[in-house]
Amino acid sequence: FNEAALIEVYYGRLDRAAALCNAAMKWIAAVVRASGNSACYRFAVQPYVNLGRLDRIAGRWEESLSKFLVAQQVCLGNPVIFGPIAIDRKSLENMAQHFPDTTVLHNIYILDTLKTLLKATWYGKILKDFQHWDKIPILVQRDFISESFLVALGGLGEYDQALELSGQCLRNSQMRN
């Protein structure tokens, strides 16, 4: 489903891509009902994120961001409801047993949120929402956020702060880039 939806996006058929994403979520909900295996809900997050990406393409910033937030909530172990999917605490525990590594979901949340905020030119929101980026333990995520900070500071005309931040990042041995 996800690959087919991506092909539809490449051809500019966003409505068909959205239909495929919705169909994928319905199918996954049916699989969970039929099998009783709620760990399968893990595969419903990606098509929902893809709907958020379609919202971003269409300039629906708030809708886009709210869909990416679902990935973060799943990482945090918080119950969520989206489309035909309702992931409760028991389902989250089952998902965690089968898929303990949530790094991909957390990366999706960070990257897609940053891309949306940058495209919307909501630079102040980047600086506010990710102000504690240096505390994030996964270094590659710090790279993404610090680079977004540099773009945001430049977009706001805060060139001296951007230059200072770039110097800090370059001198920091933990920063990969």
Side-chain angles (χ1 to χ4, degrees):
F1 282 104
N2 291 322
E3 290 81 8
L6 182 59
I7 291 167
E8 293 293 352
V9 169
Y10 286 145
Y11 280 101
R13 299 184 295 238
L14 304 183
D15 55 332
R16 290 183 184 180
L20 284 166
C21 293
N22 285 309
M25 290 187 300
K26 288 178 186 172
W27 180 74
I28 292 165
V31 166
V32 171
R33 280 192 305 277
S35 69
N37 185 355
S38 59
C40 295
Y41 280 142
R42 166 64 177 84
F43 301 105
V45 177
Q46 186 64 51
Y48 194 66
V49 164
N50 289 343
L51 288 173
R53 292 171 176 157
L54 292 170
D55 285 334
R56 180 174 59 225
I57 290 169
R60 295 185 296 266
W61 315 126
E62 294 291 344
E63 293 89 338
S64 179
L65 293 170
S66 71
K67 288 180 176 73
F68 304 142
L69 192 57
V70 166
Q72 183 193 41
Q73 293 305 307
V74 170
C75 288
L76 296 173
N78 295 327
V80 290
I81 297 173
F82 56 96
I85 307 296
I87 305 177
D88 58 15
R89 290 219 183 271
K90 184 178 177 186
S91 298
L92 286 163
E93 290 169 9
N94 193 21
M95 287 168 56
Q97 286 178 341
H98 289 85
F99 307 103
D101 187 359
T102 60
T103 304
V104 170
L105 289 177
H106 201 244
N107 285 344
I108 286 170
Y109 166 70
I110 289 175
L111 284 174
D112 282 295
T113 297
L114 289 170
K115 287 179 183 180
T116 302
L117 294 173
L118 287 168
K119 188 160 183 179
T121 64
W122 291 355
Y123 303 131
K125 190 162 175 52
I126 293 171
L127 301 177
K128 179 180 174 265
D129 290 358
F130 291 94
Q131 62 184 316
H132 301 293
W133 65 274
D134 56 331
K135 307 284 189 271
I136 292 175
I138 300 173
L139 297 180
V140 71
Q141 293 172 348
R142 285 191 210 171
D143 286 345
F144 297 142
I145 297 168
S146 65
E147 290 169 5
S148 295
F149 261 52
L150 291 172
V151 173
L153 289 167
L156 293 170
E158 300 292 340
Y159 307 116
D160 289 339
Q161 285 183 352
L163 186 59
E164 181 182 330
L165 176 61
S166 66
Q168 290 172 6
C169 291
L170 291 171
R171 288 187 300 274
N172 185 338
S173 62
Q174 289 187 340
M175 299 296 285
R176 298 178 345 143
N177 292 324

